[in-house]
Amino acid sequence: MANPLYDALFGRHQGQMTTFIQLSDNTVTTHAAFLELAAQYAHVFTKLGLEPGDRVAVQIEKSLQSIAVYAACTQAGLIFLPLNTAYTAEEISYFVHDSKARIVLCDSKNAELLEPISIAAGAILETMDAAGQGSFSQQATEMPTKFQTVVRSKDDLAAFLYTSGTTGRSKGAMLTQENLLSNGQVLTTEWEFTASDVLLHALPIFHTHGLFVATNIALLAGCKILFLPKFDLDVIIDILPQASVMMGVPTFYTRLLDDPRFTKGLTQHMRLFVSGSAPLLTETHLRFEYITGHHILERYGMTETNMNTSNPYRGERRAGTVGFPLSGVELKITDSATGATLPQNEVGQIEVRGPNVFKGYWNMPEKTAEELREDGFFITGDLGQIDADGYVHIVGRNKDLIISGGYNIYPKEIELLLDIQEGVLESAVVGVPHPDFGETVIGVLVADTGAEPDLEAIKQTIATSLARFKQPQKLILLQELPRNTMGKVQKKALREQFSDLFATK
Ligand code: MLC
Ligand code: AMP
């Protein structure tokens, strides 16, 4: 095939008058019309001088047009690099410089802020707002609606997704056409998607879950997407009768369960509810079953690997587990000190291998070597065990990571900023239980001798550097940080000490 990913996701829908996307105002776009728009965008990229393999950094709101940008990148052989809309200019600057992006596509309202950054990085700046309008779309209107698809192989890179790290420096995970395609195909089959499904899509599309799981599956199955800009409880409840499948992070499901309108009657017609990106509490799984009669299907994945495991579509969906390795994915539990495979039921680090596993971190060979073994196994940083029936349980993390509402936050990045604030000697950032987001961020500070750090001023200062969801919900001043005999900060003790901070809604 000329371009395996484009052909499988998009090319085969050429000329099809089937509905691809339905927006919240009920306007629909057919596959055929969508592909014409994507082809026009591919022409704009070419006209701007981009060549296959170039990175396209995109920080725009979720829209039909933003999906067309993804399709255009695939068709033109460009590397799609989506960025969280919550990122600050400082964060964007890092990603654009690190990836050496050739173009930055941003919302018109951020253009003034991002222009100097783009210029400094040698990138072109174009705009696209939430309605899909801007300098980029403007140029597309004059372009032909057909584009000669650029030839690619399955090993060519299709996307970079940045993921934070324990060192505080974000890493660009390099994903190939095969990584995305193989995973999408396996999920489409295992979750029995067909063209008659209707997918309720309220996830952001700058992460694996909303883009490579939800969108790619719908494209592979050829089904319709109810495409919502974000999770809005009222809209979801309103539109649910039109859907057959919904995908979400646990926060989606706890919010729905807390609403009296969410009943068995409202969900009876649904074929499937999928959860992932963060742990779904057993209690939530059971409450969902009690209210709706549906068992949420929980699966487990990550940026570097796409999806690794899933509870079965047919068969027992076991609460508190993430099911079995997907077809083609090998998963083992190993001893973190020796790397030896551990027997069933023993807790160790989760390692995975398969066509889903990424090619490494962009320009970080050492980081790649630390996590991706020569034999192809990727050390996920998650701790788990496999029970007697083969179900994988995630029991913790070997990495210092907080997951808030499905977003990953690495404490190191925040600690590095807190440590340099006036009057601060040192800091520790931990995640504590939160009724809506699962976990939320708090920062514990120790003052320099005799200093009295101004916590409000610190909050304001770090807000210019960190996306809102990473900013500590609370800063707490302590005399000293708890340490073990080796001098290492005991984050577990801090998590326990402050576990009740957000206990009630
Ligand atoms: C928003 N806020 C958050 C937040 N989302 N704070 C902490 N954690 C979050 N996840 C903050 C906003 O900055 C704002 O702060 C306030 O909460 C309300 O903002 P909002 O925009 O109204 O929030 P809402 O729309 O309700 O968003 C919450 C959410 C959203 C849970 C619906 O975060 C979401 O869609 N999360 C999904 C993330 C996801 O797709 N993850 C997949 C990663 S891929 P203030 O103070 O200004 O009011 C991956 C691999 C895999 O992990 O396995 O899938
Ligand atoms: P990210 O790096 O944003 O892709 O997040 C990946 C991480 O999310 C994984 O390493 C896990 O820690 C976590 N994760 C994803 N799905 C699940 C799940 N179903 N249960 C528990 N943790 C999950």
Side-chain angles (χ1 to χ4, degrees):
M1 273 199 279
N3 180 326
L5 188 64
Y6 181 81
D7 297 343
L9 295 182
F10 304 107
R12 68 194 185 84
H13 299 299
Q14 204 81 48
Q16 300 283 326
M17 297 311 285
T18 39
T19 301
F20 172 38
I21 280 184
Q22 178 179 324
L23 300 177
S24 14
D25 63 2
N26 287 329
T27 52
V28 294
T29 303
T30 62
H31 284 98
F34 172 80
L35 292 179
E36 289 186 356
L37 182 66
Q40 290 181 307
Y41 288 177
H43 278 291
V44 178
F45 282 130
T46 309
K47 195 192 111 203
L48 290 169
L50 273 76
E51 289 174 4
D54 282 344
R55 272 76 62 203
V56 177
V58 175
Q59 191 197 30
I60 52 179
E61 293 294 336
K62 184 177 176 183
S63 66
L64 162 75
Q65 289 81 356
S66 62
I67 295 287
V69 172
Y70 165 51
C73 286
T74 311
Q75 190 169 23
L78 303 167
I79 298 175
F80 187 60
L81 196 173
L83 294 163
N84 194 324
T85 46
Y87 287 149
T88 61
E90 203 173 307
E91 288 165 313
I92 297 293
S93 175
Y94 171 80
F95 300 125
V96 174
H97 277 91
D98 187 70
S99 66
K100 300 195 171 55
R102 281 290 305 280
I103 181 168
V104 177
L105 189 57
C106 73
D107 198 297
S108 326
K109 66 177 193 284
N110 298 330
E112 208 177 315
L113 211 57
L114 296 187
E115 188 161 28
I117 289 167
S118 306
I119 292 170
I124 307 160
L125 184 92
E126 296 286 346
T127 62
M128 183 182 272
D129 63 20
Q133 301 307 309
S135 66
F136 186 80
S137 331
Q138 186 57 39
Q139 297 171 64
T141 53
E142 296 149 20
M143 295 295 172
T145 53
K146 287 227 165 341
F147 180 85
Q148 180 66 47
T149 303
V150 169
V151 175
R152 296 268 92 183
S153 84
K154 64 183 179 45
D155 293 327
D156 281 320
L157 296 177
F160 277 12
L161 287 192
Y162 272 84
T163 159
S164 279
T166 42
T167 57
R169 235 186 115 206
S170 283
K171 305 165 286 183
M174 301 187 287
L175 295 154
T176 63
Q177 289 220 342
E178 186 186 27
N179 294 152
L180 307 182
L181 187 53
S182 65
N183 210 238
Q185 283 167 335
V186 166
L187 296 172
T188 307
T189 306
E190 296 207 5
W191 296 345
E192 301 192 13
F193 264 78
T194 69
S196 27
D197 271 312
V198 179
L199 175 69
L200 195 162
H201 193 312
L203 287 157
I205 52 166
F206 39 71
H207 281 311
T208 304
H209 197 165
L211 187 64
F212 301 139
V213 181
T215 310
N216 283 1
I217 290 181
L219 281 159
L220 287 167
C223 74
K224 175 161 109 175
I225 303 183
L226 302 173
F227 204 63
L228 307 176
K230 58 178 285 200
F231 183 91
D232 178 320
L233 195 55
D234 293 336
V235 177
I236 304 273
I237 285 177
D238 221 35
I239 208 168
L240 206 57
Q242 294 183 47
S244 68
V245 183
M246 174 175 164
M247 288 181 197
V249 294
T251 301
F252 284 19
Y253 295 113
T254 49
R255 286 186 183 181
L256 283 167
L257 287 172
D258 285 345
D259 193 299
R261 294 170 295 174
F262 191 68
T263 59
K264 192 171 189 139
L266 189 75
T267 58
Q268 216 156 22
H269 67 288
M270 290 289 284
R271 183 174 77 77
L272 181 63
F273 290 95
V274 180
S275 176
S277 308
L280 182 78
L281 298 180
T282 299
E283 180 215 317
T284 311
H285 182 107
L286 297 179
R287 202 150 66 93
F288 200 90
E289 185 205 341
Y290 178 74
I291 289 181
T292 68
H294 287 281
H295 289 268
I296 298 176
L297 183 152
E298 185 173 8
R299 85 327 176 254
Y300 156 60
M302 47 191 312
T303 302
E304 291 91 334
T305 64
N306 297 287
M307 299 304 104
N308 296 312
T309 72
S310 171
N311 268 281
Y313 181 70
R314 291 175 195 275
E316 186 196 351
R317 296 180 197 159
R318 195 170 284 184
T321 82
V322 291
F324 309 113
L326 290 167
S327 167
V329 177
E330 294 170 79
L331 183 147
K332 60 182 183 180
I333 307 291
T334 62
D335 182 311
S336 51
T338 64
T341 303
L342 294 171
Q344 219 155 23
N345 280 322
E346 279 195 30
V347 173
Q349 60 185 9
I350 300 177
E351 297 192 28
V352 292
R353 177 166 71 178
N356 55 316
V357 174
F358 77 141
K359 284 292 160 285
Y361 298 112
W362 169 251
N363 276 346
M364 289 188 182
E366 279 136 37
K367 264 276 145 207
T368 303
E370 273 171 32
E371 293 174 33
L372 191 56
R373 295 187 192 276
E374 267 178 23
D375 64 5
F377 271 98
F378 177 67
I379 304 165
T380 61
D382 292 310
L383 296 174
Q385 67 190 134
I386 302 175
D387 70 20
D389 299 321
Y391 285 83
V392 177
H393 300 237
I394 298 178
V395 299
R397 296 173 205 140
N398 218 1
K399 50 191 173 190
D400 193 11
L401 164 73
I402 301 166
I403 305 183
S404 168
Y407 286 147
N408 275 13
I409 298 154
Y410 279 85
K412 191 75 190 170
E413 186 183 354
I414 306 164
E415 288 162 358
L416 288 174
L417 261 175
L418 289 173
D419 289 347
I420 56 170
Q421 301 305 312
E422 203 179 317
V424 175
L425 175 68
E426 59 175 354
S427 67
V429 167
V430 292
V432 293
H434 188 275
D436 187 27
F437 293 136
E439 280 184 291
T440 197
V441 183
I442 64 163
V444 181
L445 307 176
V446 176
D448 279 323
T449 317
E452 285 181 23
D454 179 344
L455 300 188
E456 242 350 275
I458 292 177
K459 270 188 173 179
Q460 283 174 22
T461 308
I462 63 172
T464 59
S465 304
L466 287 176
R468 182 77 190 95
F469 69 90
K470 296 182 195 167
Q471 294 166 29
Q473 290 291 305
K474 203 167 175 57
L475 289 178
I476 298 158
L477 206 52
L478 286 189
Q479 288 298 322
E480 57 180 8
L481 297 176
R483 292 184 189 275
N484 64 15
T485 47
M486 306 291 287
K488 192 171 183 297
V489 176
Q490 289 183 297
K491 292 203 165 177
K492 191 162 172 271
L494 288 173
R495 279 193 289 268
E496 280 166 9
Q497 184 177 353
F498 297 108
S499 64
D500 286 339
L501 265 185
F502 301 93
T504 51
K505 284 193 184 191

